[in-house]
Amino acid sequence: MAQSKGTVVLAYSGGLDTSCILVWLKEQGYDVVAYLANIGQKEDFEAARKKALALGAKKVYIEDVSREFVAEFIWPAVQANALYEDRYLLGTALARPCIARGLVAVAQRERAQHVAHCVTGKGNDQVRFELSCYALCPEIKVVAPWRLPEFYQSFPGRRELMDYAKKHGIPVPVTPQTPWSMDENLMHISYEAGILENPKVIHHGSHGAGGASCVCSLIGNFTAGPSVCVPVKVTNAGDGATRSSALELFVYLNDVAGKHGVGRIDIVENRFVGMKSRGIYETPAGTILYHAHLDIEAFTMDREVRKIKQGLSLKFSELVYNGFWHSPECEFLRECIARSQEPVAGTVRLSVFKGQVYVLGRESPRSLYNEELVSMNVQGDYEPADATGFININSLRLKEYHRLQSKVTVKQDE
């Protein structure tokens, strides 16, 4: 019997890794409290509770944080138009600091000195979980089995882990027919590892209907409150169905966009730890909201403010991907981005068709678009002759540059 090491709160899902690690932690002498956060994944939570207790968990916490996940993590990402490496909408990266917050809160409630996760030593999530835990509770100690030689030398691969599960009577969902890792939350579903590590292997996603030929039109409303702009309503132009609460709106968009195959990407990305990895992501609602928000923002935001905000969005995406959600610099960026959203209010009409999102039109009481000013048929408050001086001033630099280049070329030819 191993010497008692105290209580550890384990980020638990009920899958292969977390189930085996729960048993392994008990073998090492820990009293294990399992923490399972409901962030919108399709799961039998009661079955997961019974499984954790059957495997020896001292206690099981199952917490529904889906509303907080949307309002406090997804909405800031929508405001930022956050994309990592131009394509990834950060579904997993946004979920980890939300889960870590609950994990630490349970550890404090249970007076546990340790928290544990089941992320491998090669992944991004180990960084995201641990930076969040240390930021929220500096005195916490993190147990990361996949980085402990006594663990990873015993389990060099998933096959050995499945053998361990079989030996200890641990039921697991992973089979040779589905040899990849899947992570699901409200924001997205991701597929990684296993046969997908070969970037030539084609993975056919299980969700959506990429070949659907029907069109769905949606009307989305954004509103500006005190330093914040978030989606407030979505209406299906076909049947008039309307959703207005944050969670219901997001779930509805996931359903509609998923049926039309919206939001699937297959990418190779750069992990924070230094290696490239292949990931397949399905982000239906996030993709719709990205396009809708980007459109209404361009319609209502000053050009120079938007240029600065684009730079902030790039940095925000990088910080979130790398696990720095709870850092002072990320908090500062969220405040700056939220401040930029004060004029961003209006309605965007769009359609989803065969996996694509098409913006059809927009309107806003805060629009900076002046139809009379821009019209080719009306002069408006604009003097065309002024453009001559504008062009002359801007061409001066170009003329001087090429004049000098001509001199240099002539001198080199002599």
Side-chain angles (χ1 to χ4, degrees), residues 138-359:
E139 65 275 12
I140 203 74
K141 295 180 176 63
V142 177
V143 180
W146 281 113
R147 295 207 308 269
L148 299 174
E150 61 267 32
F151 185 86
Y152 66 71
Q153 288 174 3
S154 298
F155 307 104
R158 296 179 77 79
R159 182 174 299 170
E160 289 78 10
L161 209 58
M162 292 181 77
D163 290 341
Y164 178 86
K166 184 177 181 180
K167 178 182 176 181
H168 289 78
I170 303 170
V172 292
V174 177
T175 68
Q177 286 73 43
T178 56
W180 53 69
S181 174
M182 186 182 88
D183 180 71
E184 179 184 11
N185 61 51
L186 274 169
M187 184 64 165
H188 84 171
I189 301 175
S190 68
Y191 306 88
E192 290 182 319
I195 62 170
L196 299 180
E197 289 172 355
N198 180 345
K200 294 186 293 185
V201 170
I202 298 173
H203 169 66
H204 299 283
S206 58
H207 294 265
S213 58
C214 54
V215 178
C216 179
S217 294
L218 299 166
I219 300 173
N221 294 85
F222 286 78
T223 187
S227 300
V228 65
C229 163
V230 296
V232 294
K233 184 171 69 172
V234 62
T235 301
N236 188 316
D239 60 17
T242 295
R243 303 290 188 279
S244 54
S245 78
L247 182 58
E248 289 177 353
L249 181 156
F250 204 83
V251 169
Y252 180 70
L253 285 179
N254 264 335
D255 181 54
V256 170
K259 289 176 180 176
H260 291 268
V262 168
R264 289 188 194 175
I265 60 171
D266 183 332
I267 66 173
V268 173
E269 67 199 62
N270 289 295
R271 286 182 179 170
F272 188 31
V273 294
M275 65 189 76
K276 291 185 184 290
S277 69
R278 191 265 188 102
I280 292 150
Y281 304 105
E282 299 178 4
T283 318
T287 300
I288 283 184
L289 291 172
Y290 173 82
H291 287 287
H293 180 264
L294 192 65
D295 187 78
I296 201 67
E297 186 176 77
F299 195 48
T300 57
M301 185 178 285
D302 174 77
R303 181 186 71 179
E304 297 305 312
V305 173
R306 189 164 183 266
K307 285 181 183 178
I308 295 171
K309 194 258 181 176
Q310 284 176 301
L312 297 180
S313 297
L314 189 64
K315 185 62 178 177
F316 172 83
S317 302
E318 180 184 290
L319 288 173
V320 173
Y321 184 87
N322 292 343
F324 289 92
W325 178 276
H326 292 291
S327 67
E329 63 270 30
C330 194
E331 290 178 5
F332 173 73
L333 279 181
R334 291 199 298 274
E335 289 291 328
C336 292
I337 291 169
R339 172 65 177 80
S340 77
Q341 299 299 289
E342 288 184 358
V344 183
T347 300
V348 182
R349 179 163 185 158
L350 40 77
S351 69
V352 291
F353 177 63
K354 289 189 175 180
Q356 299 298 314
V357 178
Y358 300 94
V359 174

Side-chain angles (χ1 to χ4, degrees), residues 8-19 22 32-53 55 57 59-66 68-69 95-96 98-107 109-110 115-118 129 173 183-186:
V8 60
V9 181
L10 171 66
Y12 178 76
S13 69
L16 172 66
D17 290 27
T18 59
S19 297
L22 191 160
V32 181
V33 172
Y35 173 74
L36 202 165
N38 176 0
I39 47 176
Q41 68 272 39
K42 295 178 180 65
E43 186 167 339
D44 186 336
F45 293 101
E46 190 53 39
R49 180 196 302 277
K50 291 177 180 177
K51 181 178 180 180
L53 291 171
L55 294 176
K59 193 180 294 187
V60 180
Y61 285 85
I62 297 177
E63 187 176 17
D64 186 346
V65 294
S66 51
E68 295 94 322
F69 180 42
R96 296 313 182 228
C98 180
I99 296 170
R101 188 171 69 179
L103 189 70
V104 167
V106 168
R109 194 179 315 163
E110 290 291 320
V115 294
H117 62 75
C118 304
F129 270 126
D183 180 71
E184 179 184 11
N185 61 51
L186 274 169

Side-chain angles (χ1 to χ4, degrees), residues 371-380:
E371 188 173 353
E372 183 179 279
L373 181 61
V374 80
S375 174
M376 295 295 185
N377 300 315
V378 181
Q379 182 171 322

